[in-house]
Amino acid sequence: MTLPSQPVTLTVEQLADLRTKLSTMRHDIANQLALIVAASELIRLKPQTAERMLVTLGEQPTRISLTVDKFTEEFDRSVGITRP
């Protein structure tokens, strides 16, 4: 990772855009965590749903990781951080 060698200045618009992207990321992750909670609760209440719900549970960590990666790429691009 290469950080900028000079201070980074963001416009109000750029800062607002990053804030929106951060808010979207937080919302997406909250939804993915809610799916984990809901699937776990369904398995507890209706064990016959376990097979289907385990698929949902298994997908969420990857989706959360992709959500964070997307925000990180956008943030890095906004402030001039490059990665090899």
Side-chain angles (χ1 to χ4, degrees), residues 45-62:
L45 295 172
K46 296 183 178 183
Q48 67 273 20
T49 66
E51 187 175 333
R52 191 167 33 121
M53 291 300 105
L54 286 173
V55 171
T56 298
L57 286 170
E59 293 170 345
Q60 299 321 302
T62 299

Side-chain angles (χ1 to χ4, degrees), residues 70-82:
K70 179 182 175 190
F71 175 78
T72 300
E73 289 171 10
E74 292 170 347
F75 177 83
D76 288 354
R77 189 172 36 256
S78 295
V79 298
I81 296 172
T82 57

